[in-house]
């Protein structure tokens, strides 16, 4: 399927690995030139080199913290007129809500709500003027199915979802869409780290814990960054111009509801 993205320019935040990299690779495969982003210079440059070699597109690597104004400035300096923005950022670590002080809560909200809104503020009007824009926010299944210990992440991402529910509709008539992808249990470093922490606390093996968690998923497995990226690329495509304001679960059926 031709996604109609050849020559489009995309900023993909937090994309040196994991789901962000999966999105960057899928967009590159569709013909997009990229600005990718991360904090680890060596990992980021390696990712950029691999994507260039594999797909033959232009890839700029920007080492920056997207939660800061300086980081956002650096991304937009590398790509002043993006056609596509994929907002992504790490979530706060798992903690009992009683342990969260004011500074931790403010940092979590900045990370997972305010920063993506700031990026959208800076690119959406330009997209509308040019007549094409696709904005994807990578949030989490916990927006719909909260998990104990991830309350700050769930709350901030749910706030982002609610904030943009009205905003997205103001752009729909100018071919700019804003949608959210909600990953469930994906085979990423973050998930593996969680398995290792649980193994350390329970004395079980990482393999046993992983198999038990996969058994709870109707699909019977964890998702991959590659398939997540392809879903992202579709919602960035010309074919998805009539879809906006949606929360798309990518969870193998884990969320047990009809609506």
């Amino acid at each position: 399927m031709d996604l109609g993205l050849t020559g489009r320019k995309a900023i993909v935040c937090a994309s040196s690995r994991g789901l962000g990299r999966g999105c960057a690779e899928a967009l590159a495969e569709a013909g997009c030139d990229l600005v990718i982003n991360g904090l680890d210079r060596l990992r980021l440059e390696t990712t950029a080199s691999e994507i260039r070699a594999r797909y033959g597109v232009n890839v700029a690597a920007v080492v920056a913290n997207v939660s800061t104004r300086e980081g956002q400035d650096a991304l937009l300096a590398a790509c002043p007129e993006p056609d596509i923005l994929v907002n992504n950022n790490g979530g706060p670590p798992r903690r009992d809500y009683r342990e969260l002080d004011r500074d931790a809560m403010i940092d979590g909200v900045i990370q997972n709500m305010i920063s993506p809104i700031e990026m959208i503020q800076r690119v959406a009007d330009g997209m509308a003027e040019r007549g094409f824009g696709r904005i994807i926010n990578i949030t989490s299944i916990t927006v719909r199915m909260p998990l104990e210990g991830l309350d700050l992440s769930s709350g901030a991402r749910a706030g982002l979802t609610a904030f943009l529910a009205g905003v997205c509709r103001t752009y729909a008539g100018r071919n700019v869409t804003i949608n959210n992808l909600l990953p469930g249990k994906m085979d990423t470093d973050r998930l593996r780290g969680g398995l290792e922490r649980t193994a350390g606390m329970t004395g079980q093996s990482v393999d046993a814990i992983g198999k038990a968690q996969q058994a709870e998923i109707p699909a019977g497995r964890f998702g991959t960054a590659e398939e997540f990226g392809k879903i992202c690329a579709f919602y960035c495509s010309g074919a998805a111009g009539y879809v906006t304001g949606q929360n798309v679960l990518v969870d193998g059926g884990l969320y047990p509801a009809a609506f």
Side-chain angles (χ1 to χ4, degrees), residues 195 198-199 202-216 222:
L195 298 179
T198 302
T202 64
Q204 296 177 277
S205 70
V206 170
D207 186 57
I209 293 167
K211 287 180 178 178
Q213 290 194 13
Q214 290 179 74
E216 297 172 353
F222 298 134

Side-chain angles (χ1 to χ4, degrees), residues 182-229:
L182 285 59
K185 291 183 180 291
M186 312 298 291
D187 188 8
T188 61
D189 290 344
R190 184 174 175 86
L191 180 136
R192 287 188 288 273
L195 298 179
E196 290 168 1
R197 284 192 297 275
T198 302
M201 292 167 58
T202 64
Q204 296 177 277
S205 70
V206 170
D207 186 57
I209 293 167
K211 287 180 178 178
Q213 290 194 13
Q214 290 179 74
E216 297 172 353
I217 303 169
R221 63 179 178 86
F222 298 134
T224 69
E226 179 182 13
E227 64 189 328
F228 185 89

Side-chain angles (χ1 to χ4, degrees), residues 126-148:
M127 291 175 172
E129 289 169 7
R130 295 187 297 275
F132 181 92
R134 299 290 183 265
I135 297 170
I136 298 291
N137 304 297
I138 300 177
T139 62
S140 172
I141 190 176
T142 63
V143 169
R144 288 193 173 177
M145 192 173 75
L147 297 176
E148 179 273 327

Side-chain angles (χ1 to χ4, degrees), residues 24-65:
E25 293 223 22
L27 290 169
E29 185 177 17
C32 291
D33 293 327
L34 302 175
V35 172
I36 65 171
N37 159 247
L39 296 175
D40 184 315
R41 183 177 297 277
L42 177 59
R43 180 188 293 129
L44 186 64
E45 291 290 354
T46 299
T47 297
S49 295
E50 291 173 353
I51 293 175
R52 288 188 201 104
R54 184 172 183 182
Y55 301 107
V57 297
N58 296 320
V59 184
V62 177
V63 180
N65 180 355

Side-chain angles (χ1 to χ4, degrees), residues 225-256:
E226 179 182 13
E227 64 189 328
F228 185 89
K230 290 182 182 299
I231 293 166
C232 176
F234 171 75
Y235 281 101
C236 291
S237 74
Y242 204 57
V243 181
T244 197
Q246 299 306 300
N247 294 288
V248 181
L249 285 161
V250 185
D251 68 344
L254 182 59
Y255 179 67

Side-chain angles (χ1 to χ4, degrees), residues 12-15 19-20 37-39 64-68 72 86-92 107-116 119 136-140 153 157 190:
V12 186
C13 303
S15 47
L19 300 182
N37 159 247
L39 296 175
N65 180 355
V66 72
S67 292
T68 67
Q72 295 168 13
V86 179
N87 276 316
N88 184 36
N89 212 344
D107 287 346
V109 172
I110 289 172
Q111 195 172 15
N112 293 145
M113 180 181 173
I114 293 174
S115 297
M119 287 295 291
I136 298 291
N137 304 297
I138 300 177
T139 62
S140 172
S153 173
R157 296 182 198 277
R190 184 174 175 86

